[in-house]
Amino acid sequence: MQLFLQLLVIIVTLIISHEHEAKAAFVPPYSSVVMPVTKHTDATKPLYSVQIMTKYVNLQYLHANFLIDLDAPFIWHNCILQWNSFPGSCPNDTLCTYPVSCEEYQCTDVRTTYSYPNTPSCPPVNNDSTIPGWGYCTCPVDVVNPVTGSCNQALLNYDEFTVNTSNGRNVFDGLYGFYPNAACVDSSSFSSFPANVSGVMALSSSPYALPAYLFEPLKRIVALCLPSNVSAPGALLYGNSSYNLLPQSNVDVRSYLSFTPLLKHNDSFGYFINVNSIVIKARFIDVPTNTTARISTTEPYTTLRTDIYNGVVRRFAKVTQRIPLAKPVAPFGHCYNTSNLVSVKVPDIDFGVQGGKNWIISTANSIKQITKDVACLAFVDGGATSEPAIVIGTFQFEDNFLLFDLENSIFGYSSSLLRKQTSCSNFNFTLTPSP
């Protein structure tokens, strides 16, 4: 009997050991997840959204578009809260989720530490709201509309979203689910949003933003490639994969990147870098040492503090003096008459960043064609007391490949991909079977 027990222990130990070895040896077929990025021009300013899967109905997923926000502390979208829901109680075209109670730690944590900083006048949150038939308090939180700056109230919830897996080159039919604490708002909160956009996807450093909910084997690396047109999507990838764009599908876009440290700001969950200089045709613009620049996905054009803006415009006007001027078109202060030009070609604007090579702003990212006859320098005067002094807007990094390496707190930038004969709209979204 003793011999039998010894043999049984040995067999069980071998089985457990083999299972652990098999798990350790397992390498998933994906290294990232991917979401298509759409440019929208039907709101008061150009904006960008990611598409994700939200609900499984009739053997297929419903899709929803979420506005990309690098500053938002948590995800929020159009949904309704239900408790003890039963089949058929939630309409097929509606997303129903479960509420976070005011007594749970997430409620206090979001309200006190990871809420929107510097919120405008918002209605006071309280614990009076309950779900019919449940009786316990829900968790109201304030959200700030990135289009209008207005404040709305939302209810924190337990959510579930799904995205496609990828190796950075292909999109697989395999899926990845994640379960954030998001917030529900009613549909009226999105009247200022682009059509068919019904949420805000937080990509900030907050522990309630998207990066906090994507786990191993994914690395904490956000790759963002904004498209310059509305007809073909760009890409948002999360994970440590190679990144390949057509037609050079064998070229890893990371080889184009230069890097600079990501900085933290006490009053923001967003991402900042240091800009030490701005150079236009070998002439330096006066920029204070270690000037802070915020990277924004909700500001359409780069804003510069007045002293920096004036220096840029003066130098740019000098090196483009052969191009006739036109009356400025808001929000821009320096425009050109292009009626007799086949195309506009201007010198690069180089942003010298801390510890890295220049971030080169080429013509495609510095000149905005307003009408057939008018084009403008796509930088905006942010005012004499603008803080931070520079906010880098989306027009300046369309068709640029950006990498937010949250593992190592570094930021990668490619400058214009158009000079590499590709663009952000060249990611291959054709669905392929998982390996």
Side-chain angles (χ1 to χ4, degrees):
M1 181 67 177
Q2 185 176 359
L3 178 61
F4 173 76
L5 290 175
Q6 288 176 337
L7 288 172
L8 183 60
V9 169
I10 291 172
I11 291 170
V12 170
T13 302
L14 288 173
I15 291 172
I16 293 174
S17 175
H18 179 72
E19 287 180 349
H20 284 173
E21 289 177 2
K23 289 180 180 178
F26 174 71
V27 178
Y30 62 90
S31 50
S32 61
V33 295
V34 63
M35 292 155 264
V37 174
T38 300
K39 179 177 180 178
H40 303 271
T41 56
D42 57 338
T44 55
K45 57 185 178 181
L47 294 164
Y48 305 81
S49 70
V50 290
Q51 185 181 86
I52 62 174
M53 291 169 268
T54 58
K55 182 180 179 182
Y56 196 63
V57 178
N58 297 329
L59 302 180
Q60 63 182 2
Y61 279 97
L62 298 181
H63 293 77
N65 295 314
F66 287 64
L67 206 67
I68 299 172
D69 192 340
L70 293 178
D71 299 288
F74 51 84
I75 302 165
W76 50 280
H77 64 121
N78 181 27
C79 52
I80 60 174
L81 294 183
Q82 286 195 336
W83 185 248
N84 294 330
S85 61
F86 54 89
S89 64
C90 182
N92 283 349
D93 60 349
T94 303
L95 185 62
C96 298
T97 61
Y98 299 101
V100 170
S101 165
C102 68
E103 298 176 349
E104 296 179 78
Y105 82 92
Q106 298 101 316
C107 184
T108 301
D109 205 28
V110 168
R111 281 181 177 177
T112 59
T113 308
Y114 299 105
S115 60
Y116 277 81
N118 304 318
T119 55
S121 178
C122 295
V125 295
N126 57 59
N127 298 332
D128 294 339
S129 177
T130 61
I131 299 297
W134 182 28
Y136 292 100
C137 58
T138 54
C139 180
V141 291
D142 289 326
V143 295
V144 176
N145 186 317
V147 181
T148 64
S150 61
C151 184
N152 296 314
Q153 202 161 90
L155 295 175
L156 200 64
N157 69 75
Y158 294 101
D159 239 316
E160 177 181 358
F161 298 137
T162 305
V163 291
N164 283 101
T165 55
S166 174
N167 61 357
R169 181 193 302 267
N170 303 107
V171 181
F172 299 140
D173 56 8
L175 302 176
Y176 183 102
F178 59 100
Y179 308 90
N181 285 123
C184 282
V185 297
D186 61 69
S187 58
S188 63
S189 300
F190 300 98
S191 59
S192 59
F193 278 44
N196 302 317
V197 176
S198 57
V200 169
M201 182 56 66
L203 289 178
S204 70
S205 61
S206 164
Y208 292 93
L210 173 67
Y213 292 100
L214 304 179
F215 303 109
E216 295 290 344
L218 301 175
K219 300 299 182 183
R220 297 180 64 242
I221 299 174
V222 179
L224 181 61
C225 209
L226 296 186
S228 57
N229 62 73
V230 299
S231 59
L236 170 66
L237 295 105
Y238 184 94
N240 188 29
S241 57
S242 63
Y243 305 105
N244 305 89
L245 300 171
L246 299 173
Q248 301 105 333
S249 58
N250 61 329
V251 176
D252 186 347
V253 180
R254 289 180 299 184
S255 64
Y256 302 147
L257 297 179
S258 300
F259 294 92
T260 189
L262 275 173
L263 308 177
K264 293 184 178 179
H265 197 287
N266 291 336
D267 298 325
S268 174
F269 301 111
Y271 302 105
F272 299 79
I273 60 174
N274 272 344
V275 174
N276 295 323
S277 64
I278 299 177
V279 183
I280 303 174
K281 207 169 183 180
R283 183 70 61 86
F284 283 78
I285 309 302
D286 187 21
V287 176
T289 303
N290 295 328
T291 293
T292 300
R294 177 169 65 90
I295 302 165
S296 173
T297 50
T298 56
E299 291 297 328
Y301 307 103
T302 293
T303 62
L304 305 171
R305 197 175 60 207
T306 298
D307 58 318
I308 302 173
Y309 174 82
N310 288 341
V312 168
V313 170
R314 278 195 301 268
R315 178 59 181 163
F316 205 78
K318 185 173 182 62
V319 300
T320 58
Q321 56 187 331
R322 293 187 178 182
I323 305 176
L325 295 178
K327 183 179 178 180
V329 177
F332 309 115
H334 189 77
C335 298
Y336 299 98
N337 185 333
T338 59
S339 57
N340 294 321
L341 300 177
V342 176
S343 63
V344 179
K345 176 66 177 174
V346 298
D348 294 338
I349 301 175
D350 296 349
F351 278 38
V353 301
Q354 176 186 349
K357 297 180 180 178
N358 289 346
W359 185 349
I360 300 171
I361 311 298
S362 60
T363 301
N365 298 110
S366 66
I367 297 295
K368 170 72 173 176
Q369 194 73 43
I370 306 299
T371 67
K372 179 179 176 295
D373 298 330
V374 177
C376 297
L377 178 63
F379 290 78
V380 177
D381 186 347
T385 59
S386 176
E387 174 58 36
I390 300 174
V391 178
I392 303 176
T394 52
F395 186 79
Q396 273 62 51
F397 55 84
E398 286 182 345
D399 288 323
N400 284 231
F401 194 82
L402 306 185
L403 192 75
F404 300 84
D405 185 340
L406 308 183
E407 300 264 341
N408 301 298
S409 294
I410 55 176
F411 172 68
Y413 51 95
S414 69
S415 299
S416 180
L417 294 172
L418 301 179
R419 291 182 170 178
K420 304 293 185 180
Q421 286 71 56
T422 188
S423 74
C424 288
S425 296
N426 279 3
F427 186 81
N428 182 10
F429 278 101
T430 303
L431 208 61
T432 60
S434 297

